[in-house]
Amino acid sequence: MKLVSTFAAERAELRPCEITFGGDFPYSEPENRALFEKVLDLKGDLKSFITFHSHSQLWMLPYGYTFDLTPDDAVVRDLAVNATNALRALYGTVFRVGTSAEILYTSSGTSRDFAKGRTQIKYVYTVELRDTGEFGFLLPAEQILPSGLETFEGVKVIALRIIEEFARN
């Protein structure tokens, strides 16, 4: 999803058949445009925005288009570490935590960076699920349920923090 002003600045492919093709222009696909509009409509109400992808076992935080960190990086990163610790407790699966630029590569125009930069959602993450490359995008069927269960453990950590921080008495 190419959703910010950094569209096609880093690692975005301009050829439609390539895996990192970002579209012809920002919001060029109706699904992206619908998400963009909905997130903007909910600006101020959303406390977290998490996208799930496969594969690599990464828990990434903003930003991806630069090595600069967000002002609240320490808090957002600490929660990601707590989430991945909870995830690891179930089956021992290890996830790396960091910005895309730190632990993968720079990437521009992502929904993660849009959600953080444009709408100031506090807890924004991209989670790259199992595995680390052995099976790639074709995760064996017997790993799908464990992947979902361990991921849910991490998401629960995020949800509990949001309840603690933002719930009205």
Side-chain angles (χ1 to χ4, degrees), residues 6-19:
T6 58
F7 177 79
E10 294 290 334
R11 298 265 318 174
E13 182 57 58
L14 300 176
R15 294 173 297 192
C17 293
E18 297 297 323
I19 195 166

Side-chain angles (χ1 to χ4, degrees), residues 8 12 36 44 47 56 66 78 87 120 134 148 160 163 167:
F36 164 78
K47 307 306 179 199
S56 292
T66 179
D78 182 60
L87 182 156
Q120 300 301 305
E134 181 179 356
L160 289 172
I163 291 168

Side-chain angles (χ1 to χ4, degrees), residues 8-48:
E10 294 290 334
R11 298 265 318 174
E13 182 57 58
L14 300 176
R15 294 173 297 192
C17 293
E18 297 297 323
I19 195 166
T20 59
F21 177 64
D24 293 322
F25 53 88
Y27 325 113
S28 60
E29 307 309 313
E31 298 84 358
N32 290 0
R33 192 170 33 260
L35 177 63
F36 164 78
E37 291 169 359
K38 180 52 79 176
V39 170
L40 285 179
D41 286 348
L42 295 171
K43 184 177 179 178
D45 293 329
L46 293 176
K47 307 306 179 199
S48 184

Side-chain angles (χ1 to χ4, degrees), residues 90-91 129-130 139 143-155:
L90 194 58
Y91 298 111
L129 303 169
R130 291 183 184 198
L139 192 64
Q143 288 193 35
I144 294 171
L145 184 58
S147 180
L149 292 171
E150 67 192 6
T151 301
F152 186 60
E153 292 302 311
V155 171

